[in-house]
Amino acid sequence: MFHKTCGRKGRFARVIGMAMAVSVTLSGCSTIEDWFTDDEKLEIRRLKPIDAKFQPTISWEREIGNGVDRYFSRLRPVYAYNKLYAAERHGNVVAMEPETGKVLWEKNFATFSNEGMLSPVTRLWQDGETARIGGIAVADKHVFIGTENGYIAALDAESGELVWEASIPGEILAAPAADEGILVVNTGAGSLFGFNTRTGEQVWRHEGDTPPLTLRGISGPVASNGGAIIGTPTGKIQVNLIDSGVLAWETAIAKPTGATELERIVDIDTTPVLFGGTIYTVSFNGTLAAVELRSGRVIWKREYASFRNLNIDGNRIFVVDNNSNVYALDRRNGVELWSQSSLKQRSLTAATPIGDHVVVGDNWGFLHWIEQETGQVVARLDVGGDDDDDSIYVAPIKVDGRIVAVTRSGVIASVSMPQ
């Protein structure tokens, strides 16, 4: 196996001594892996130099288990109750101190076979069977997790103690959401569930339609204003009453076109954004829309295709499309303000607003700061060592003026900017 010989490698498991010459460029380093990569991929991988306006720095790093490896996942840390909560796919869930990364509590949902008296000892070097955690949310003083096996657990947000657990048919591939004492869980089987956040009692269930072919992913629900809002694999925005699960309204955003099932994919796999009485959403096949919350009336539509979440800051809405082009639009009318294509094909995350910038992560573990006003890339930080095993696969989150990012290998990094 060939290993890279340069880039920032802060973890001892990745430090490899190789007495070889490397060619260093402005974008990072040339590696043995580069020798076996075609020109097109090298062009994508080698970052273009930028005129940096500041230099972000890593405040702390912490590894929590094995991350998500190469599996599809949208596991993303959550900041709530002055704590940073995170999970890894295999089963570890932790609460951390945001300033230092110190672990306050942790609980492991991986399962182990019964091995009698030696069980506690053997667990020290065994990983157990993966829990396949797919989503984590924090609300109502609880931490909620859902798994690809249809398992739901509620933990006390302060202590990490298990409060209740439940099982449902269908994979949970997105974070649940809670409001008015109801936890809303969406599944890959097309069913939407409501649970009492305190007791775990199933309050309602709503069955939806699922096309023959869909993307590997589902829309995360939004619970607010007495409703549960989701995007559907049939290209609709749907609102259910949160207390009963009854369908309030649904509106078609994208319509299937084309001769093949692949061409007819219209999934809305993103979590809708609710802002000022308007729902914003985008479909995989190319429709960005603003929809009135009360009625489901479409206010405006534009042609952008994405499976990454939208983000809003003020009157700007930020879109990262299927090819990793970044756009800023006026959220009031959908008029494009700027586009940024220099990071095209780098598998960018959604864009997280922070201050005067938005931040995206990429497939080789870099964070990029883009000016909200101009769309120019003005800063960059190597978090993952220019390594696709340490790619930043979900949008970073904002925590008290810092950015917190997580890599596929399970490293959580807190990043600060010069004041």
Side-chain angles (χ1 to χ4, degrees):
M1 179 182 294
F2 293 112
H3 298 274
K4 297 181 180 166
T5 59
C6 60
R8 190 188 58 78
K9 299 294 182 186
R11 295 167 296 283
F12 73 93
R14 293 193 176 277
V15 176
I16 302 172
M18 297 180 67
M20 301 189 67
V22 296
S23 173
V24 180
T25 70
L26 286 172
S27 66
C29 62
S30 176
T31 70
I32 296 175
E33 184 178 312
D34 289 348
W35 301 352
F36 303 96
T37 304
D38 61 45
D39 291 342
E40 184 179 352
K41 290 184 179 179
L42 280 177
E43 181 66 23
I44 294 169
R45 179 170 181 169
R46 290 174 177 167
L47 286 164
K48 297 175 176 64
I50 61 171
D51 183 15
K53 294 188 177 181
F54 57 89
Q55 181 56 55
T57 57
I58 295 176
S59 301
W60 57 260
E61 284 184 316
R62 182 166 295 278
E63 197 164 17
I64 58 159
N66 298 318
V68 300
D69 198 20
R70 293 287 179 174
Y71 293 97
F72 169 85
S73 180
R74 286 178 171 163
L75 267 178
R76 188 181 183 218
V78 179
Y79 178 55
Y81 308 129
N82 296 316
K83 294 181 180 64
L84 185 64
Y85 299 93
E88 52 119 15
R89 185 178 185 273
H90 193 78
N92 208 30
V93 181
V94 301
M96 293 177 287
E97 205 173 69
E99 288 296 315
T100 64
K102 176 185 176 183
V103 173
L104 302 173
W105 59 255
E106 61 183 310
K107 185 170 181 64
N108 193 353
F109 284 89
T111 55
F112 295 82
S113 59
N114 186 5
E115 294 160 345
M117 293 179 61
L118 293 179
S119 181
V121 178
T122 56
R123 288 189 186 193
L124 294 176
W125 64 81
Q126 288 184 351
D127 291 333
E129 184 178 344
T130 177
R132 300 168 69 192
I133 296 177
I136 179 172
V138 183
D140 203 9
K141 302 294 178 69
H142 289 75
V143 178
F144 302 100
I145 66 158
T147 78
E148 297 171 33
N149 301 320
Y151 172 77
I152 304 165
L155 310 176
D156 183 279
E158 187 63 32
S159 67
E161 293 297 317
L162 181 65
V163 178
W164 58 261
E165 55 189 349
S167 292
I168 57 176
E171 292 181 304
I172 302 171
L173 300 169
D179 191 43
E180 299 184 7
I182 300 293
L183 179 73
V184 182
V185 182
N186 195 16
T187 71
S191 301
L192 190 67
F193 293 84
F195 291 87
N196 183 300
T197 57
R198 294 286 176 174
T199 67
E201 176 191 2
Q202 184 179 314
V203 181
W204 52 261
R205 173 176 178 171
H206 176 84
E207 296 292 343
D209 297 328
T210 303
L213 184 64
T214 65
L215 298 179
R216 173 66 171 165
I218 57 174
S219 169
V222 172
S224 181
N225 292 6
I229 309 165
I230 61 164
T232 74
T234 55
K236 297 176 182 177
I237 280 291
Q238 172 184 307
V239 176
N240 296 71
L241 300 180
I242 200 166
D243 58 350
S244 64
V246 171
L247 181 67
W249 58 258
E250 61 180 6
T251 296
I253 301 300
K255 296 182 179 179
T257 58
T260 69
E261 292 294 343
L262 187 62
E263 291 173 326
R264 295 173 63 82
I265 291 177
V266 292
D267 295 47
I268 297 177
D269 267 6
T270 59
T271 300
V273 177
L274 179 61
F275 190 97
T278 302
I279 301 167
Y280 298 88
T281 191
V282 63
S283 72
F284 174 76
N285 79 332
T287 305
L288 171 68
V291 180
E292 190 176 69
L293 172 62
R294 289 183 175 276
S295 65
R297 178 180 66 89
V298 176
I299 301 170
W300 55 257
K301 280 186 179 182
R302 298 291 181 266
E303 292 185 5
Y304 295 89
S306 183
F307 56 88
R308 298 171 178 88
N309 287 343
L310 306 172
N311 277 296
I312 291 178
D313 193 16
N315 287 328
R316 294 189 183 98
I317 184 167
F318 300 99
V319 183
V320 179
D321 74 7
N322 291 338
N323 294 316
S324 291
N325 297 300
V326 186
Y327 302 90
L329 295 84
D330 191 315
R331 68 168 184 83
R332 297 165 294 188
N333 51 31
V335 172
E336 187 174 304
L337 303 174
W338 53 256
S339 63
Q340 172 56 255
S341 60
S342 68
L343 302 172
K344 189 175 180 179
Q345 304 297 343
R346 290 186 65 87
S347 299
L348 297 185
T349 68
T352 300
I354 179 167
D356 297 328
H357 307 89
V358 291
V359 183
V360 295
D362 75 17
N363 192 54
W364 289 278
F366 286 89
L367 291 171
H368 310 268
W369 277 254
I370 302 172
E371 277 187 338
Q372 285 202 27
E373 188 66 33
T374 66
Q376 297 301 306
V377 180
V378 295
R380 180 174 293 150
L381 180 66
D382 180 3
V383 174
D386 195 18
D387 189 339
D388 56 5
D389 288 337
D390 281 310
S391 66
I392 297 170
Y393 67 99
V394 286
I397 66 170
K398 180 181 176 182
V399 179
D400 293 335
R402 292 181 181 176
I403 281 290
V404 172
V406 59
T407 73
R408 282 196 170 275
S409 64
V411 174
I412 296 178
S414 177
V415 178
S416 57
M417 294 163 39
Q419 298 298 318

